[in-house]
Amino acid sequence: MGSIAGYLDGYGFHVRARPSLDEGLRDLAVRTSDLVILNLHLGRTEGLETLRAIRSRSDVPVIIITDIGDDEHERVLSLELGADDCMTHPVGPRELVARMRAVLRRRLAAGPEHGTDREHGRYRFDGWILDRRRHSLTNPAGSIVALSKGEYALLIAFLQAPQRPLSREHLLQATRIHEDVFDRSVDVQVLRLRRKLENDPTAPQMIRTERGVGYTFTLSVDHVV
């Protein structure tokens, strides 16, 4: 997975590779992840048990990688146990990126809680109110702040996962920006959003840069349906 991890880093993913299933499971218990790639080549039975353990405590998307000799039953079992997709060795890096993006798009379309309640209602943070029914943002003084479509989508992504580091790839998917190389378009969107939210955009307190990862929305958020 080392070469694949380097390849994924080049596409804006922040990858944490773990040499064993147990270490991966322990890491998942203490850190937030947007997606898990579970390599059954490290142990088929242990891998399926790890998948069960992940699903018992988290709904994080999981892509399974199996040996090319595994029969259809093993792949079907993986999907029935809760995997979001299944691939076989040897893994083509470009196909892996495409499948990861497809899984993340489906998850984002479903919403972080897989329901429709967050399609409506209002988010409140530090005196600000984002009204999803009206697609409007109001500042603490009660004035409407205009947002572009990209800024609005980016703010929604932050408000749905407050105080949690979000990778640039996650934010790319959230804002439906699909340039394979020019992932710094997210940085431009963040800069524009900071200018509208922050008291001092040059010293941001609300949207913090996480070096080597992406960004964190630092405030607590209330959601009212």
Side-chain angles (χ1 to χ4, degrees):
M1 286 290 290
S3 59
I4 292 178
Y7 186 89
L8 295 178
D9 278 334
Y11 274 81
F13 292 98
H14 177 61
V15 181
R16 300 193 306 269
R18 296 294 177 262
S20 72
L21 297 170
D22 285 342
E23 288 188 37
L25 197 57
R26 286 195 296 270
D27 184 78
L28 187 62
V30 298
R31 298 175 183 233
T32 301
S33 298
D34 294 323
L35 184 145
V36 171
I37 300 174
L38 187 56
N39 189 356
L40 297 193
H41 186 67
L42 296 174
R44 185 184 307 174
T45 301
E46 295 85 351
L48 293 177
E49 288 301 320
T50 300
L51 177 58
R52 287 191 180 96
I54 291 173
R55 278 293 164 261
S56 70
R57 67 188 70 177
S58 171
D59 65 350
V60 62
V62 178
I63 295 178
I64 294 288
I65 298 178
T66 70
D67 289 325
I68 196 169
D70 288 348
D71 58 23
E72 182 182 3
H73 173 74
E74 294 291 341
R75 295 190 294 274
V76 170
L77 179 59
S78 298
L79 295 172
E80 289 179 343
L81 289 175
D84 294 84
D85 200 353
C86 190
M87 301 181 66
T88 57
H89 282 291
V91 176
R94 293 181 63 184
E95 181 183 359
L96 177 59
V97 168
R99 287 180 181 248
M100 291 171 67
R101 286 178 168 168
V103 167
L104 289 171
R105 280 196 300 270
R106 291 197 299 269
R107 183 55 57 96
L108 285 166
E113 295 183 0
H114 307 288
T116 59
D117 61 325
R118 290 183 179 263
E119 295 297 323
H120 306 288
R122 292 179 295 176
Y123 291 99
R124 296 176 179 172
F125 56 98
D126 198 31
W128 294 76
I129 298 175
L130 182 73
D131 191 322
R132 296 204 65 177
R133 291 187 179 91
R134 299 180 179 180
H135 286 251
S136 65
L137 176 66
T138 306
N139 68 19
S143 300
I144 298 295
V145 177
L147 296 176
S148 69
K149 290 182 179 179
E151 292 163 355
Y152 180 85
L154 182 62
L155 181 55
I156 289 292
F158 282 130
L159 298 183
Q160 289 180 337
Q163 300 173 331
R164 169 184 168 187
L166 298 178
S167 68
R168 285 181 173 82
E169 178 63 24
H170 178 96
L171 296 172
L172 278 170
Q173 298 297 338
T175 55
R176 300 298 191 269
I177 301 171
H178 296 298
E179 286 86 1
D180 287 350
V181 177
F182 302 107
D183 63 325
R184 293 193 66 80
S185 55
V186 165
D187 299 325
V188 174
Q189 292 280 5
V190 168
L191 177 60
R192 291 172 178 167
L193 188 58
R194 279 172 169 166
R195 288 171 178 168
K196 297 183 177 181
L197 296 178
E198 301 276 3
N199 292 326
D200 181 3
T202 63
Q205 301 296 315
M206 196 177 299
I207 302 175
R208 184 179 63 214
T209 300
E210 300 290 347
R211 189 173 300 276
V213 180
Y215 299 93
T216 296
F217 190 82
T218 63
L219 304 180
S220 60
V221 177
D222 294 323
H223 179 250
V224 181
V225 179

